[in-house]
Amino acid sequence: VTMLDTILANGDEGEEPWDDARIARDLHPSHTRSTLERLRDSIDVYPHGNCVVHHMFGREVVRAVRENYDDAYVTAHLEVPG
């Protein structure tokens, strides 16, 4: 189960539902339930997957990016767990 599955199932019990307004506010203003559904349906999830990038870029690269590119965004890719 991915974060997208949790959101599209309206979140965890007892929390505010993930309607279009919350998605725009808490995730990104350009997204809606429809765009998240398209995203979820367009990616392959590898439950026992491996990402070569995680092995190529270690602690030193993270440190260098933080020190030299403080305006950089951190992103995640959802097809590989962890």
Side-chain angles (χ1 to χ4, degrees), residues 23-43:
I23 290 168
R25 182 189 74 226
D26 293 351
L27 292 179
H28 194 280
S30 296
H31 278 297
T32 64
R33 289 184 65 78
S34 177
T35 64
L36 294 181
E37 287 169 352
R38 285 197 314 267
L39 173 63
R40 180 202 56 202
D41 295 343
S42 70
I43 62 173

Side-chain angles (χ1 to χ4, degrees), residues 58-79:
R59 181 173 293 133
E60 287 303 308
V61 172
V62 172
R63 184 195 55 73
V65 169
R66 285 184 176 154
E67 289 178 3
N68 299 304
Y69 304 95
D70 61 349
D71 60 340
Y73 287 96
V74 175
T75 62
H77 50 101
L78 304 175
E79 77 278 11

